[in-house]
Amino acid sequence: MSERSHLRLQLVVFTLVAASFTNIYLTQPVLPVLQAEFAATTLQVSFTVAAVILGIALANLPFGVLADRLPIQPIILTGGIAVALGGLICAVTDNLWLLIGARFLQGLFIPALTTCIAAYLAKTLPIERLNVVMGAYVSATVVGGLGGRLLGGWIHPPLHWRYAFVSAAVLILVATFLALKQLPRQPKVDNIAREQPRFLSLLRRWELVRIYLAAAGGFFIFSSVLNYLPFRLAAEPFSFSTELITLLYLVYVMGIFMGPLSGRISNRIGSGNTLIGGPLLLGSSVALTLLPSIVAIILGLLGLCAGFFAVHAAAVGSLNRRLTGGQGRANALYVLFYYVGGWIGITGSGFAYTQWGWQGVILICLLLLILPFMAGLGERRDVRR
């Protein structure tokens, strides 16, 4: 594959992944608005985010198997149409539980666009390019996550959050058909189903499991902080509007640079060192958000994004460097752990926020830092052997 073809592939993948992630976080900045509109509790409206993440977690293993067995094009077509349909249902419903159900539907089919593309990259790209390209993949998740938050809470007025779902549905359809047209077809391999590792055999490899746990712990922390930040900033002593809260999500742009940069850092200093440094930065950053200062909040969010994406990119790169086959299933397990961690984080931190406020959320996040930190120690120890 020529350099120009590589760049075109990266652009197509970037567009598809970014459009997919735009749909995940649409309601996050307008959770207080949804709470008032549907006369619901904080925990109930948080399900509009948690349901997507739960759907992604549940669907990853089936799509991981499909990614090892089927061409990428029909998988992408099915996923793109289903995600767009779920978004349009969200745009027209007046029932909170139907909204949550449609969000769950979106989550079930997002892995067709994200997990399967990760497996496609792992199978088609040379190993020396994989870390950097996976970093670019992570950057696409950043652009999509930021785009969804801006669509939901800023580009469209917060009270008109339904239009954000229409915009996201159009975007995912455009990205889907662009991918169908531009992605090169995988060469047929007669023994494609032979020698594929089973999920249980992958889970028996501790060097992979600790990477999965690092992903779960990292996303637990990241999703918990960003999901309940609007409630903290809407209350005293800040009393910010939804538009101003949404603007603070612009610090998320840090991940656009941290994705590819983390890949290069991991190549230079090793994934183990990156997985050790990332949690240390994460811990100090989330602790900063306890201070009643907007400057501390902004600095904490910047450090949160930098630390999280360093952990995420290093973990994805480390996982795929260890694989000689079954990339679809191994990446599906990674994303399963990743999103189960996020779902547990949002749900568990919802109870913590209700009982103990912001301090309870941050305490739980600090405890979960042990997972990526221990993974980093293990990765560094393996390199020294």
Side-chain angles (χ1 to χ4, degrees):
M1 184 180 289
S2 67
E3 187 66 26
R4 184 175 179 180
S5 297
H6 270 299
L7 291 175
R8 185 169 63 247
L9 173 62
Q10 290 179 46
L11 178 61
V12 170
V13 170
F14 186 94
T15 303
L16 184 65
V17 173
S20 302
F21 272 76
T22 295
N23 286 272
I24 297 176
Y25 300 108
L26 280 173
T27 63
Q28 199 167 67
V30 293
L31 290 178
V33 174
L34 296 180
Q35 184 177 16
E37 182 171 332
F38 290 101
T41 66
T42 300
L43 186 60
Q44 286 173 338
V45 294
S46 76
F47 290 158
T48 63
V49 180
V52 186
I53 293 175
L54 178 61
I56 293 171
L58 293 176
N60 265 290
L61 298 189
F63 276 112
V65 174
L66 291 177
D68 283 335
R69 295 177 179 271
L70 298 178
I72 193 72
Q73 282 80 7
I75 298 176
I76 288 176
L77 178 62
T78 303
I81 292 174
V83 172
L85 177 62
L88 294 176
I89 293 172
C90 292
V92 299
T93 184
D94 290 319
N95 184 292
L96 177 61
W97 295 106
L98 181 57
L99 172 63
I100 292 170
R103 295 288 281 156
F104 180 68
L105 172 68
Q106 288 187 299
L108 286 176
F109 283 93
I110 284 175
L113 309 172
T114 54
T115 301
C116 294
I117 279 290
Y120 173 87
L121 292 174
K123 288 188 286 187
T124 56
L125 293 178
I127 191 66
E128 65 272 9
R129 295 180 63 94
L130 190 57
N131 246 18
V132 175
V133 175
M134 284 298 183
Y137 173 99
V138 171
S139 293
T141 71
V142 178
V143 171
L146 176 61
R149 292 174 174 99
L150 293 180
L151 268 178
W154 191 42
I155 295 176
H156 294 293
L159 292 176
H160 299 156
W161 54 268
R162 298 174 187 275
Y163 295 129
F165 278 104
V166 177
S167 299
V170 172
L171 180 62
I172 197 68
L173 288 175
V174 170
T176 295
F177 288 108
L178 177 65
L180 291 175
K181 182 179 180 180
Q182 295 294 331
L183 282 179
R185 297 190 178 276
Q186 296 165 236
K188 291 185 178 180
V189 180
D190 293 335
N191 62 346
I192 190 169
R194 193 175 56 134
E195 303 271 338
Q196 292 292 343
R198 295 180 179 274
F199 287 117
L200 284 178
S201 68
L202 292 169
L203 290 173
R204 290 190 186 104
R205 295 176 58 183
W206 171 242
E207 72 274 14
L208 300 185
V209 172
R210 69 186 179 212
I211 295 174
Y212 295 150
L213 292 175
F219 198 48
F220 181 109
I221 296 164
F222 189 71
S223 59
S224 295
V225 172
L226 291 189
N227 207 66
Y228 294 98
L229 182 68
F231 295 104
R232 170 160 168 75
L233 295 180
E236 296 291 340
F238 301 102
S239 301
F240 286 172
S241 67
T242 300
E243 290 87 351
L244 187 53
I245 293 170
T246 304
L247 278 177
L248 290 179
Y249 281 116
L250 286 173
V251 301
Y252 197 64
V253 78
M254 170 73 72
I256 298 174
F257 306 101
M258 280 305 301
L261 180 60
S262 294
R264 294 183 173 89
I265 291 173
S266 294
N267 285 338
R268 181 176 294 272
I269 69 172
S271 295
N273 289 326
T274 306
L275 286 170
I276 290 172
L280 294 177
L281 179 57
L282 267 176
S284 58
S285 299
V286 298
L288 267 180
T289 66
L290 290 169
L291 299 177
S293 162
I294 189 56
V295 174
I297 294 288
I298 292 173
L299 290 176
L301 287 175
L302 286 170
L304 172 77
C305 291
F308 168 70
F309 286 109
V311 168
H312 185 26
V316 170
S318 182
L319 170 68
N320 283 285
R321 281 199 309 274
R322 290 180 176 274
L323 300 174
T324 56
Q327 287 88 349
R329 300 183 188 201
N331 279 278
L333 279 173
Y334 179 92
V335 182
L336 170 65
F337 276 78
Y338 180 86
Y339 281 107
V340 166
W343 177 71
I344 294 173
I346 290 174
T347 305
S349 294
F351 288 107
Y353 187 85
T354 301
Q355 295 294 321
W356 305 297
W358 187 249
Q359 293 85 349
V361 174
I362 298 305
L363 176 61
I364 292 176
C365 290
L366 291 174
L367 292 175
L368 265 290
L369 286 171
I370 189 68
L371 295 178
F373 187 80
M374 293 303 293
L377 291 178
E379 289 294 302
R380 190 166 67 173
R381 184 173 59 248
D382 284 354
V383 170
R384 290 177 175 174
R385 288 178 179 173

